[in-house]
Amino acid sequence: TQIGAKTLTKAEINLILPSYDRILSQIEEIRKESNLSTENNIQKTNNISVLGVRGSGKTSILKSIINDLEKENNNKNEELNIIFPMIIPENMSEKMNLLSTILGLFKKKVDEIENKNKEKLQNCWEKTTTKVSKKYNSLLKKYCHMQSEFRQVSIDEFISESNYVRKNAEIFNADSEFINDFNKFITEITQKTNALIFFFIDDIDLSTNRCTDIIKTLLAYMSHPKIVTILSGDLDTFAEELTIDFLKKGDLLHKELLDVSFINNGNENILERKKELAYEYL
C-alpha cells in the first residue's frame, strides 16, 4: 500500500525495510571510524543506498532517518549530526549541478557559524572572520576556477605572457586543489565535535541526465570520513542511464557497433560490457 512520503512509525518502517536498524548501526560505525581519520587528504566513501521502485516508500525511509538523527541531537543536546535539507535532483535548475548545490547548502552553515562567532565577540572592538568562513571562500574561488566559463574569461583577458602562464597554472591545478581545500573545510567544521555531515539525495533516478554528475561528484569530491550520503532511487534505471552515458562518450551509441566485441576471442558484445561496467561503477 502506498502511504505517501512522511516520517514513519517503527511498525511502518519494519514493513517497508526490516533492515532499517542496520542503517543506524552503520552510521555509528562510520562515526567511530571517522574519529580515527586525522589526515585531511584521506578518502573514504560513506554512501548508503535505499533502492526500490517508485512508490515503495524510499522517501519516507529517508525522512525517518532524518527524524532519528534529529532526535539524537536533541537527546545529546549537541549537534552530533549536521543535517542538510534533502536534495532532489529533479528540482535543480539547469545551471546547477550537485556540487554547486552542496556548496550553496554549506554557505548557510558557514553563515550560522559566523553569526555565532559575532555573538561571542559582540563586546570586543575587533570582529574577526572565522577560519571556516575563510576556508569556504577559498573553496568557492577554486570552484570558480574549475568552471569552463571562468577559464575562457581568464584566458581571454590575460595582460602579459607571465600573467597568462600564472592564470593557466591556477586553472589546471584547480580540481586537485579544490579537493584538498574541500577536505580541509570539512575538517574545520567538524574538528571540535564528534559530528558527521549528512546529505540526503532523493529520487536520483528521475533526472536521468544528472546520474553521471551525481556519481562522479560523490566519488571525486564527497569522499570524506565525516560525510555520509544517503541516496534513494531505482538501481536499474540508474544503471541504464550510466550505460548510455558510457556508450555516448565512447561514440559507440550506434546500432552497428552494439553487437561488436572489441576484445580478441571475447564472447560479450560492447553493450553487455558497458552494462557490466555501469553496475561495477554503481
Side-chain angles (χ1 to χ4, degrees):
T1 303
Q2 189 168 351
I3 58 178
K6 64 175 185 178
T7 300
L8 304 173
T9 65
K10 288 297 180 183
E12 290 170 331
I13 288 173
N14 288 332
L15 285 173
I16 296 173
L17 188 65
S19 58
Y20 177 84
D21 287 341
R22 290 179 60 190
I23 294 177
L24 302 182
S25 299
Q26 185 61 40
I27 288 172
E28 287 313 304
E29 286 299 315
I30 291 171
R31 194 186 307 280
K32 290 176 185 176
E33 290 182 17
S34 72
N35 292 327
L36 302 176
S37 305
T38 56
E39 297 178 24
N40 285 328
N41 60 350
I42 191 169
Q43 282 196 301
K44 186 170 178 58
T45 307
N46 299 319
N47 288 334
I48 296 174
S49 301
V50 180
L51 305 172
V53 298
R54 294 287 294 164
S56 58
K58 301 185 299 297
T59 302
S60 294
I61 292 295
L62 263 58
K63 287 178 177 288
S64 299
I65 296 171
I66 292 171
N67 185 60
D68 283 336
L69 294 174
E70 289 175 342
K71 280 184 179 178
E72 186 176 23
N73 283 349
N74 294 331
N75 291 339
K76 300 283 180 71
N77 198 28
E78 62 177 311
E79 196 176 37
L80 280 175
N81 308 303
I82 300 173
I83 308 163
F84 287 98
M86 195 178 295
I87 298 171
I88 304 175
E90 190 180 26
N91 295 341
M92 289 161 50
S93 69
E94 287 295 322
K95 292 183 178 180
M96 298 290 284
N97 56 36
L98 180 58
L99 186 55
S100 64
T101 300
I102 287 170
L103 289 176
L105 292 175
F106 269 125
K107 178 64 168 67
K108 295 179 180 178
K109 185 64 183 176
V110 170
D111 289 343
E112 179 187 320
I113 294 171
E114 195 72 25
N115 289 333
K116 286 182 180 178
N117 183 60
K118 287 178 180 177
E119 289 175 8
K120 290 179 182 178
L121 299 174
Q122 60 183 347
N123 295 323
C124 300
W125 287 102
E126 184 178 355
K127 301 289 190 298
T128 58
T129 304
T130 63
K131 286 184 180 179
V132 171
S133 186
K134 289 178 180 178
K135 289 185 184 299
Y136 179 77
N137 291 335
S138 173
L139 198 59
L140 279 186
K141 182 179 179 181
K142 296 295 190 308
Y143 177 77
C144 290
H145 286 176
M146 290 162 55
Q147 306 312 302
S148 57
E149 298 89 346
F150 178 89
R151 295 182 182 196
Q152 191 57 50
V153 169
S154 296
I155 291 171
D156 290 345
E157 294 186 354
F158 73 92
I159 299 171
S160 63
E161 182 179 351
S162 60
N163 188 44
Y164 176 81
V165 171
R166 182 180 60 80
K167 278 290 182 184
N168 272 286
E170 289 180 1
I171 290 169
F172 295 151
N173 293 328
D175 199 53
S176 60
E177 288 181 1
F178 177 88
I179 295 172
N180 188 44
D181 281 8
F182 184 81
N183 288 337
K184 289 179 180 178
F185 171 69
I186 297 301
T187 300
E188 186 65 35
I189 284 182
T190 58
Q191 67 176 350
K192 294 180 181 178
T193 67
N194 197 28
L196 290 177
I197 296 170
F198 290 86
F199 286 101
F200 291 80
I201 308 176
D202 194 21
D203 288 330
I204 55 175
D205 55 296
L206 287 186
S207 298
T208 54
N209 61 316
R210 296 188 183 275
C211 289
T212 306
D213 167 59
I214 290 170
I215 288 187
K216 287 186 175 179
T217 299
L218 295 179
L219 291 177
Y221 304 114
M222 303 295 285
S223 297
H224 189 283
K226 290 286 189 178
I227 294 178
V228 181
T229 51
I230 301 181
L231 322 173
S232 81
D234 184 333
L235 182 65
D236 288 337
T237 303
F238 213 71
E240 181 181 275
E241 180 58 30
L242 275 180
T243 303
I244 293 172
D245 187 63
F246 289 150
L247 291 169
K248 282 181 179 177
K249 287 181 177 174
D251 197 21
L252 298 167
L253 201 57
H254 305 284
K255 187 176 180 180
E256 63 273 15
L257 293 176
L258 296 182
D259 291 330
V260 175
S261 174
F262 290 96
I263 299 178
N264 292 333
N265 302 319
N267 296 320
E268 294 179 325
N269 61 35
I270 190 64
L271 178 57
E272 290 169 340
R273 289 188 58 77
K274 292 302 181 184
K275 283 181 180 178
E276 288 182 4
L277 179 61
Y279 273 101
E280 289 172 7
Y281 204 50
L282 287 171

